[in-house]
Amino acid sequence: MFEPGRVGLIAKREWSTRVKQRSFQITMIIQILVVLALGLAPVIIARFAGDDEGSGASVVVVDRADAGVAGRLVPWLEGDGDTLETIEVRSGAGSPEAARAMIDEGDAQSALVVDRGDDGVLTFTLVTEDDRSSRNVQRISVAASAIAMEDRLVQSGVSLEEAQQVFTPVAFYVESPTNGQGDTDFAGSTDANAAEYAIAYISSILMFIAVVMYGTWIAQGVVEEKSSRIMEIMVNAATPRDLLAGKVIGIMMAGLTQLLPMLLVGSLAFSFQTQIADLMGVNVERVLDIDFGALTIRSVGFFLLYFLLGFVLYGALYAGVGSLVSCQEEVSQAIAPMMTFMMIGYFGAFFVLGAPNTTVARWLMIFPLTSPFSAMPRILLGNPATGEIILSVVLLVLTATGAIWLAGRLYRVGVLMYGQRPSWRSLARMGGMQQVAR
Amino acid sequence: MSLDIHQISKSFGEFTVVQDVSFSVEPGTIFGFLGTNGAGKTTTMRMILDIIRPDTGEVTWGGTPTRYLPRDTFGYLPEERGLYLRMVVEDQLMFLAQLYGADRKTVKEELDVWLARLHIEENRRKTVDQLSKGNQQKVQFLASVLHDPQILILDEPFSGLDPVNAEQMKQVFREMRDRGKTIIFSTHQLDDAQELSSDVAIIHRGRLVITGPVGAVRQSTGEHYVRIAVAGDPENLWLDGEWDLEIVRRRSDYTEIAVPNEEVARSILREAVRRNLPVTRFEIDYPSLNDVFLTHVRKMPAAMQPTREELTAVPVGD
């Protein structure tokens, strides 16, 4: 069916002309810089914000009531290591003015001034730039009222130990209603799950970008060959099928040449965030903690399988469509019908990310025009039957083969047709007449 | 082992482009395929190459339909030039020759020889869009010969070439013929064909007008042409009068007269001598391919008469 030598020759030419283009190289560098910036963003932000250690959250206590407030605040303002951060409690500012100066110099975020009123009740004044409703102000307020009540009990004769027992901070957890039932909420999920979510998410986006960007290259390349008439020599020297396969493979390789370094740099940047932070001497409280150990052979294998098959399918269709139009301006218009299916697959993928075990998700995975985009989320996050995955892949293989056949046919008819866009009827007729042999 | 075009026809929709055309090309010859613009030359050549298939009829080489031949049998120079404009000449030619299946090393050696032969060595590392039109044309020609094909199909190979380069190209054609290649070239400059080819086929509106060896075709009208020049009388006005001669054209250097036979021709010379005119040129010849074409077409029904546009493509006059 194909002549590997010719296909390889064409693919090599496509690859090398693309790769040598200045715009190709610049795009590649920009992409790498962008993922590097994204990957290292937490570290970089911490680095620039981090001139003052512990500025994250701290409160200076000016205890004019001498009620031991600083020590009593500590258990209240401890973080839980997850969603609540620890607010550091300091003492050492003798006056509200000194405390204000500390805030101005960035040594502390807020100051809590404690006085005892004439009625013997503690009063608290929080000096802060934070909004009244901010989480830290709320936490300090809760702590202050507990300490005030504790203090009243002590004043009325209860021992300090007893009072403190009453006011031990309560164990209080917040959970989302679906948690613990295989939910896929990004924040609420386990680390491994988050990684699979990220991989599914990235693979759908990559697939879409690759098909749209490099598919357009394919269509434009065909139109260029048509309009420069070199196509007349090419179809004489090789079969339309070889030309088509070579073009799709060559541009796919060029696409991978552009994408893989970006992926590599990106995943390295994400996975070594902690180490990079250490190297730069930055203390990053919360890095995007994706465990790329979840990049198993299974997930990478499925990604490559769907990527290659999906690219061949759509690449062939792009080439076929390109062979039917005669100038670059018509390309985007002519690919609109295909674009509809790609959009369904792409936006479908986001739906599947949230609901991977629904009927819609199953159909999006089986239907070959959407499966390149929507299958990965379901395979990684849902629990599709093995038979279903096999069906999806087999259908995709068959459709990709059919697309090459169809596009080869269109190519044969389309490449020598200039000017008017052909009607479907004339295509069918001419396709029929030009059967056999090559 | 000849290339036989056997009653091929091709229509696009309602429009018949080629109708029932047949001719044969002997191997190792240069064959001229002639006609006005839009006569169906390019479509016929594409059918020979199996780029498009005839609706009816068949093209064979040594009895084998061309669609079963290896792709490197043919070299093709399309009428609309086709090259990757941004690709380096050398890379491009290597690529195309290899696409035809040629061996890389052989092609490289051939390429060196050819670039030198056509005096375009210095353009080897330039991209095509940096070349002059004439040089692009030469590169295009190389793209059709580097894989060493048996048959060369050249669509309007001289268009865009200046006289010097056209002459060089004609010389190359003769060399290729001497190396045993079969060359079919189309042109609307019928004089190019008369000079180069041993056989021709002339088509008009998709139909074959005449085919055969150049000599036989030129004799096919049964007419002879007399060319006569007389010193001091560029218009040869003495020819007018009771003679009733068919004067084909009056040029500044000679006058051309169509005569039914050589006897009439000689009588013209006798009359000139009798009048004691200073004759500087007298020549009896067959009509040129150009005139043969016009004579045949004028005998066709009114609907087949060439339009002004078609005729402007055929240079009437030498």
Side-chain angles (χ1 to χ4, degrees):
Chain A
M1 180 172 172
F2 293 107
E3 266 199 58
R6 289 216 171 99
V7 174
L9 190 69
I10 297 163
K12 199 181 136 210
R13 198 203 78 86
E14 291 292 341
W15 179 82
S16 67
T17 26
R18 306 281 163 184
V19 173
K20 278 183 211 154
Q21 275 168 17
R22 185 65 49 87
S23 59
F24 180 96
Q25 296 159 355
I26 292 175
T27 310
M28 192 164 149
I29 291 168
I30 292 176
Q31 282 176 343
I32 290 175
L33 290 179
V34 167
V35 290
L36 206 57
L38 282 178
L40 298 179
V43 180
I44 294 166
I45 291 169
R47 174 98 189 105
F48 283 109
D51 292 341
D52 42 351
E53 193 111 345
S55 76
S58 57
V59 57
V60 178
V61 178
V62 183
D63 193 356
R64 292 200 289 208
D66 201 18
V69 171
R72 291 155 78 180
L73 264 177
V74 172
W76 287 94
L77 300 182
E78 259 169 15
D80 61 1
D82 184 11
T83 51
L84 292 180
E85 58 182 336
T86 301
I87 301 174
E88 197 191 342
V89 181
R90 300 196 197 168
S91 44
S95 65
E97 289 70 31
R100 283 207 174 85
M102 282 176 78
I103 295 174
D104 286 345
E105 282 162 27
D107 285 340
Q109 197 185 31
S110 52
L112 187 64
V113 181
V114 187
D115 288 300
R116 195 179 292 280
D118 298 336
D119 53 357
V121 177
L122 291 179
T123 60
F124 299 85
T125 311
L126 186 66
V127 181
T128 180
E129 283 175 356
D130 284 357
D131 190 79
R132 182 173 279 273
S133 63
S134 89
R135 191 191 267 190
N136 285 351
V137 173
Q138 297 285 328
R139 286 170 67 197
I140 292 169
S141 149
V142 170
S145 46
I147 290 167
M149 283 190 251
E150 208 179 280
D151 184 72
R152 271 191 222 173
L153 285 177
V154 173
Q155 296 293 318
S156 56
V158 182
S159 76
L160 182 64
E161 288 73 29
E162 280 172 320
Q164 275 178 340
Q165 261 169 15
V166 174
F167 284 96
T168 313
V170 186
F172 185 82
Y173 304 110
V174 179
E175 244 178 33
S176 77
T178 52
N179 207 1
Q181 299 167 30
D183 81 306
T184 52
D185 182 290
F186 190 74
S189 54
T190 62
D191 278 357
N193 212 338
E196 292 195 326
Y197 188 99
I199 293 165
Y201 184 84
I202 292 169
S203 66
S204 294
I205 292 179
L206 267 183
M207 186 72 223
F208 188 73
I209 292 176
V211 169
V212 172
M213 198 155 116
Y214 306 122
T216 308
W217 284 8
I218 292 175
Q220 285 174 344
V222 173
V223 174
E224 188 205 323
E225 282 170 359
K226 245 183 97 174
S227 55
S228 80
R229 312 287 160 121
I230 191 162
M231 197 58 101
E232 298 201 29
I233 301 177
M234 307 273 283
V235 291
N236 187 46
T239 68
R241 232 179 275 118
D242 288 347
L243 293 178
L244 184 91
K247 191 162 220 47
V248 172
I249 292 172
I251 290 186
M252 181 165 74
M253 290 303 162
L256 288 175
T257 308
Q258 199 170 57
L259 289 179
L260 285 181
M262 176 190 85
L263 284 180
L264 190 70
V265 168
S267 44
L268 285 178
F270 274 102
S271 35
F272 290 105
Q273 228 167 38
T274 327
Q275 287 85 336
I276 295 169
D278 283 349
L279 267 177
M280 290 174 73
V282 178
N283 178 25
V284 180
E285 285 267 338
R286 262 176 71 74
V287 291
L288 228 183
D289 198 10
I290 294 174
D291 177 13
F292 276 91
L295 266 177
T296 54
I297 294 177
R298 178 172 174 269
S299 55
V300 174
F302 271 120
F303 172 70
L304 285 179
L305 184 68
Y306 277 101
F307 185 88
L308 295 182
L309 289 174
F311 196 95
V312 168
L313 165 60
Y314 274 102
L317 291 179
Y318 265 97
V321 168
S323 71
L324 295 182
V325 301
S326 39
C327 63
Q328 302 289 0
E329 291 73 30
E330 289 174 39
V331 171
S332 59
Q333 192 194 338
I335 59 171
M338 272 163 58
M339 193 55 110
T340 311
F341 286 106
M342 289 160 56
M343 288 298 199
I344 294 173
Y346 181 58
F347 289 111
F350 290 99
F351 171 80
V352 178
L353 281 170
N357 285 325
T358 51
T359 313
V360 177
R362 180 180 305 134
W363 284 112
L364 284 172
M365 179 172 116
I366 290 173
F367 186 56
L369 287 176
T370 54
S371 63
F373 309 101
S374 319
M376 280 301 283
R378 178 162 159 80
I379 289 177
L380 289 181
L381 303 172
N383 37 24
T386 313
E388 218 178 275
I389 300 179
I390 294 173
L391 178 65
S392 162
V393 173
V394 168
L395 278 179
L396 188 53
V397 170
L398 290 178
T399 317
T401 315
I404 294 175
W405 178 85
L406 174 74
R409 206 29 94 74
L410 291 180
Y411 221 63
R412 187 127 172 62
V413 181
V415 287
L416 296 175
M417 224 163 10
Y418 305 108
Q420 282 293 301
R421 207 169 146 196
S423 71
W424 289 108
R425 250 185 72 212
S426 71
L427 278 183
R429 206 171 50 232
M430 292 178 76
M433 287 187 314
Q434 310 208 358
Q435 281 158 8
V436 267
R438 30 191 219 114
Chain B
M1 191 75 176
S2 59
L3 184 76
D4 296 298
I5 287 82
H6 189 67
Q7 294 193 315
I8 53 169
S9 298
K10 181 78 195 174
S11 309
F12 294 114
E14 301 296 303
F15 188 61
T16 303
V17 185
V18 174
Q19 195 175 359
D20 223 15
V21 167
S22 300
F23 58 88
S24 283
V25 182
E26 288 307 309
T29 62
I30 301 179
F31 188 94
F33 189 43
L34 320 173
T36 51
N37 287 339
K41 299 190 297 282
T42 300
T43 305
T44 303
M45 292 185 136
R46 285 178 179 166
M47 284 192 277
I48 295 174
L49 290 160
D50 190 45
I51 292 176
I52 52 178
R53 298 260 155 86
D55 299 339
T56 57
E58 176 169 62
V59 181
T60 58
W61 170 245
T64 311
T66 51
R67 67 170 175 274
Y68 299 124
L69 296 173
R71 296 320 306 163
D72 62 358
T73 310
F74 293 101
Y76 180 35
L77 177 95
E79 180 185 11
E80 306 261 8
R81 309 305 174 219
L83 292 169
Y84 289 109
L85 292 179
R86 303 269 168 75
M87 203 170 167
V88 172
V89 169
E90 185 176 19
D91 298 351
Q92 176 141 257
L93 290 172
M94 293 295 292
F95 168 72
L96 288 172
Q98 284 180 278
L99 198 59
Y100 273 108
D103 166 64
R104 194 183 163 79
K105 201 168 152 271
T106 322
V107 177
K108 190 122 190 136
E109 288 162 10
E110 277 280 295
L111 180 62
D112 292 338
V113 175
W114 273 111
L115 289 175
R117 174 70 185 81
L118 294 181
H119 310 296
I120 47 172
E121 279 159 309
E122 71 279 7
N123 297 313
R124 173 183 212 122
R125 296 304 308 168
K126 285 187 188 159
T127 57
V128 173
D129 55 4
Q130 291 174 311
L131 303 185
S132 70
K133 245 188 161 166
N135 283 341
Q136 283 188 11
Q137 176 82 331
K138 290 180 182 177
V139 174
Q140 190 82 54
F141 174 74
L142 290 190
S144 66
V145 296
L146 272 181
H147 58 284
D148 197 27
Q150 298 174 49
I151 308 167
L152 282 173
I153 308 278
L154 311 168
D155 202 350
E156 298 281 354
F158 304 115
S159 73
L161 287 184
D162 61 44
V164 175
N165 282 320
E167 201 44 57
Q168 190 183 45
M169 196 62 90
K170 285 174 190 167
Q171 193 49 44
V172 169
F173 282 17
R174 294 188 190 100
E175 284 168 27
M176 294 294 284
R177 177 198 58 201
D178 296 343
R179 282 162 60 181
K181 306 296 179 197
T182 306
I183 300 170
I184 301 172
F185 75 101
S186 77
T187 181
H188 61 267
Q189 305 275 353
L190 277 62
D191 296 318
D192 284 337
Q194 188 167 323
E195 176 189 350
L196 261 181
S197 34
S198 56
D199 293 74
V200 293
I202 303 179
I203 63 168
H204 178 60
R205 303 266 178 91
R207 283 174 225 203
L208 186 70
V209 176
I210 189 168
T211 182
V214 173
V217 168
R218 290 181 65 195
Q219 292 171 43
S220 66
T221 62
E223 289 176 319
H224 289 75
Y225 273 32
V226 168
R227 291 187 194 111
I228 190 163
V230 174
D233 185 5
E235 303 228 358
N236 279 305
L237 293 171
W238 64 277
L239 288 168
D240 298 341
E242 70 272 29
W243 284 59
D244 198 25
L245 288 171
E246 189 192 342
I247 293 175
V248 182
R249 60 181 65 89
R250 284 193 154 105
R251 299 175 28 140
S252 57
D253 49 349
Y254 60 81
T255 298
E256 203 164 57
I257 310 149
V259 293
N261 53 55
E262 293 188 27
E263 189 43 48
V264 179
R266 279 188 209 101
S267 69
I268 293 173
L269 181 61
R270 275 198 297 272
E271 178 63 17
V273 173
R274 195 185 65 78
R275 294 187 185 204
N276 211 10
L277 296 170
V279 175
T280 54
R281 174 172 182 164
F282 181 81
E283 188 180 7
I284 304 174
D285 196 5
Y286 297 108
S288 68
L289 288 175
N290 213 348
D291 291 320
V292 170
F293 167 76
L294 290 173
T295 306
H296 280 288
V297 167
R298 287 206 175 109
K299 284 185 220 151
M300 289 180 165
M304 290 291 283
Q305 291 307 313
T307 61
R308 189 176 293 270
E309 286 78 37
E310 283 173 315
L311 279 183
T312 47
V314 181
V316 178
D318 212 342

